[in-house]
Amino acid sequence: MLLAQPSFAGLAAKRIVFFAGKGGVGKTTSAAAFALARAYSGARALLVSTDPAHNLGDIFGVGIGDSITPISANLEAIEIEQETETRKYLDQVKRNLSKAVQTTMLDEVMRQIDLVAHAPGTAEAAMFDRMVSIILDESHLFDVVVFDTAPTGHTIRLLSLPELMGVWIKGLLQRRQRRNEDYSQLLADGEPMEDPMFEVLNRRRERAAQVSNLLLNSKVTGFVFVLVPEYLPIAETRRGIDQLSQYDLHVETLFVNKLLPESVSDPFFQGRLDQQQQYRKQIDADFPRQAKLDLPLLSHDINTLQSLETIARHIEQALVLRENVVSRS
Ligand SMILES: Nc1ncnc2c1ncn2[C@@H]1O[C@H](COP(=O)(O)OP(=O)(O)O)[C@@H](O)[C@H]1O
Ligand SMILES: [Mg+2]
């Protein structure tokens, strides 16, 4: 029976793991518990929280914030904030542009940049930039980097950015190159002119492409969808998996969270349990290609290290069990 199920043994081997899913299903909890489970088994793990209401610090009893902070044996964490990242990102863009733009135009250009601060896409681009820097510049210190992403639609936009950004930057570069050729025709008798922005944009394009390749490599990167056995999270998971697969990103694992204990006897909870069990069966039928890891509903919120450890132990055991099943097969 077990052998017929897709295995999630591969999940323990990924270097980058993203947690996606509807708001409130337990992405942050699962990501933190998964990172802890990997740390238990000796992997050096970095947990990246993008949750606007960061509570990892409370759970782990350590102030975390915007720099990589040791948490426990083999586990470090960082909390990244959309607002801070957007500000840093725009400052960087300004610095780059101030090298490239004539002084007379500088004020106008800076004003334009301040205007895009709240434009759609800017915050995503900023968060993506930070993700790129973590993956390319910081991940070599770790065996696995675990991202608890923002809710589904957002996540998918973030992930599709490498492709979009590739096209966008390519267009920009071509337009700039053409314009430079026109200028140099006028100003420098056709001699090519140096363009500092060309360097900057090209570098960004290269980095986005590098990350895109890592994300598309299923040996390196894993996508986990977290859901609870209810109607809407199942529907959203289906949509999310379809959307990701349009970008050639394949979800191999589902974490089915908040499962009631079978021992409930009260008629109200018995009713809930029946419903959960039906949806749980539906999850098996609807997602035959994904391995499912079941997680229990605890009697209280997961806001202490102890409760997080309970979930982490479940994950650790499930990974080990499945690894054994697979290696025996
Ligand atoms: N298995 C569980 N048992 C009990 N409470 C849980 C469980 N998983 C998550 N929670 C609680 O549910 C809430 C939402 O979890 P969270 O991980 O923040 O979701 P998300 O990141 O998907 O929005 C939190 O209060 C968390 O403590
Ligand atoms: Mg969250």
Side-chain angles (χ1 to χ4, degrees):
M1 273 304 278
L2 271 175
L3 291 175
Q5 281 251 343
S7 104
F8 39 55
L11 187 62
K14 312 280 185 197
R15 275 179 39 218
I16 303 170
V17 181
F18 288 98
F19 284 81
K22 203 171 154 49
V25 293
K27 292 181 296 298
T28 302
T29 305
S30 299
F34 176 74
L36 195 57
R38 297 292 295 117
Y40 288 156
S41 55
R44 287 166 306 168
L46 174 64
L47 172 62
V48 185
S49 166
T50 59
D51 206 322
H54 295 295
N55 60 354
L56 291 182
D58 297 329
I59 295 180
F60 290 117
V62 189
I64 299 177
D66 191 29
S67 53
I68 294 178
T69 306
I71 299 289
S72 58
N74 292 330
L75 178 62
E76 302 190 39
I78 180 170
E79 294 175 336
I80 57 179
E81 210 97 47
Q82 194 156 300
E83 240 172 76
T84 320
E85 291 311 321
T86 307
R87 199 166 4 90
K88 284 200 301 202
Y89 174 74
L90 292 175
D91 285 348
Q92 179 70 42
V93 173
K94 282 181 180 175
R95 267 200 303 280
N96 287 335
L97 277 176
S98 64
K99 290 181 218 146
V101 173
Q102 290 172 355
T103 4
T104 46
M105 284 178 60
L106 210 53
D107 281 351
E108 178 55 22
V109 169
M110 295 300 143
R111 213 176 59 83
Q112 291 291 332
I113 292 173
D114 286 331
L115 286 178
V116 303
H118 301 288
T122 302
E124 281 84 352
M127 291 297 269
F128 182 75
D129 228 46
R130 189 72 182 100
M131 189 180 93
V132 168
S133 79
I134 288 172
I135 291 175
L136 294 184
D137 309 328
E138 285 157 297
S139 72
H140 61 277
L141 298 171
F142 299 92
D143 298 308
V144 60
V145 183
V146 181
F147 289 91
D148 92 337
T149 52
T152 329
H154 185 73
T155 306
I156 288 156
R157 273 202 359 252
L158 276 179
L159 296 178
S160 62
L161 269 173
E163 204 179 63
L164 287 181
M165 208 153 77
V167 173
W168 180 69
I169 291 180
K170 212 165 140 195
L172 257 181
L173 286 178
Q174 278 165 355
R175 273 201 302 280
R176 288 188 64 88
Q177 207 160 26
R178 228 175 296 131
R179 207 167 331 129
N180 273 4
E181 276 160 17
D182 293 347
Y183 278 141
S184 44
Q185 224 47 60
L186 280 172
L187 300 175
D189 291 333
E191 286 296 306
M193 289 193 351
E194 293 246 324
D195 183 346
M197 272 316 274
F198 193 89
E199 257 322 281
V200 172
L201 289 174
N202 224 358
R203 176 105 189 94
R204 285 182 65 82
R205 190 172 60 125
E206 274 169 21
R207 285 170 64 85
Q210 273 177 47
V211 169
S212 181
N213 285 339
L214 290 173
L215 299 194
L216 284 163
N217 183 344
S218 62
K219 287 206 178 77
V220 176
T221 304
F223 295 89
V224 177
F225 249 88
V226 184
L227 76 168
V228 294
E230 285 171 21
Y231 180 77
L232 283 179
I234 293 176
E236 185 141 338
T237 301
R238 202 177 294 124
R239 260 198 309 277
I241 290 178
D242 286 349
Q243 272 174 324
L244 283 171
S245 75
Q246 283 168 18
Y247 296 99
D248 260 338
L249 299 163
H250 302 294
V251 177
E252 294 173 353
T253 316
L254 304 182
F255 278 21
V256 187
N257 192 19
K258 305 196 186 183
L259 292 172
L260 283 165
E262 301 215 356
S263 59
V264 292
S265 50
D266 171 285
F268 174 84
F269 283 110
Q270 191 68 55
R272 294 290 302 182
L273 179 64
D274 286 348
Q275 190 192 298
Q276 277 204 347
Q277 287 177 336
Q278 276 180 25
Y279 281 126
R280 183 63 192 81
K281 280 203 193 105
Q282 192 190 325
I283 291 169
D284 274 335
D286 283 7
F287 305 102
R289 295 152 71 109
Q290 281 78 23
K292 294 111 201 151
L293 197 157
D294 290 338
L295 293 173
L297 175 72
L298 301 190
S299 59
H300 42 75
D301 276 1
I302 299 177
N303 51 14
T304 61
L305 188 57
Q306 202 186 12
S307 49
L308 190 66
E309 280 170 353
T310 308
I311 300 291
R313 289 291 175 202
H314 267 272
I315 296 175
E316 191 199 16
Q317 248 172 27
L319 294 178
V320 171
L321 275 179
R322 285 301 175 85
E323 260 168 25
N324 289 343
V325 170
V326 170
S327 59
R328 264 190 273 125
S329 66

